[in-house]
Amino acid sequence: MDGGTALGSVVALAGYSSYLEAYRSLGPLVRAGVQFAGTLLAAMVVLGLVQSYGTRAVAKSRRSPVISMCIGIPSLLVVGGLASTGLVISDSSIGVFFGIPLVVLGATTLPAATAIGVVAIGRTVASRLGDDRLVVGLLVGVVCSGLAGLSVPATVAFAGLAATLGLGGSVRILFAGAGTARPDERTVPPANKI
């Protein structure tokens, strides 16, 4: 990569930092309201478009959050790295052919996984309060997201937690179909039955 291309990449990434500065310049209540409305819209769209997959991913990430986090952290690093690489190379000589698909991958995967993670967090909090329905979990998760909007570091921490949970649960659901669906359909008995 020559000096002009590297400088163009830095300038392209600096253009996106202006959006972050505009977000930080909003008042805390406005930021919380915008985050509440945006999260509510994203979660309703994601759970409406992928109903059974989204519900199963929420249940999977809620049932075993440690495993979802262990799978979600590397997955988040890979998807985020690919999306940021796509942003950087979209201004280089390789250009649109390789850059745009990587950006589209990140722009579709990360918000959907974050919405699934927000609903999983909301269902966990709602179950502690006595109601375990998906709709209540959606509302509680969106309220938690709005409350996190009062502080930028809290927003980053909440979004990171939700993205890792959602991406981990989604990956687990995606690859769960490769095995057998029920233990009685196994061709090899489990180790404790031998």
Side-chain angles (χ1 to χ4, degrees), residues 22-52:
Y23 180 74
R24 290 180 66 188
S25 68
L26 295 173
L29 292 177
V30 173
R31 200 169 45 231
V34 166
Q35 198 160 310
F36 175 84
T39 307
L40 179 65
L41 179 66
M44 287 186 346
V45 166
V46 167
L47 290 178
L49 287 176
V50 287
Q51 290 177 359
S52 66

Side-chain angles (χ1 to χ4, degrees), residues 23 27-33 35 143-152 154-155:
Y23 180 74
L29 292 177
V30 173
R31 200 169 45 231
Q35 198 160 310
V143 167
C144 290
S145 175
L147 290 175
L150 294 173
S151 168
V152 174
T155 299

Side-chain angles (χ1 to χ4, degrees), residues 58 62 118-141:
V58 166
R62 191 178 154 254
V118 165
V119 176
I121 292 171
R123 277 191 80 181
T124 302
V125 171
S127 71
R128 302 283 183 221
L129 300 175
D131 198 351
D132 195 23
R133 293 178 295 167
L134 184 67
V135 175
V136 175
L138 172 83
L139 292 176
V140 171

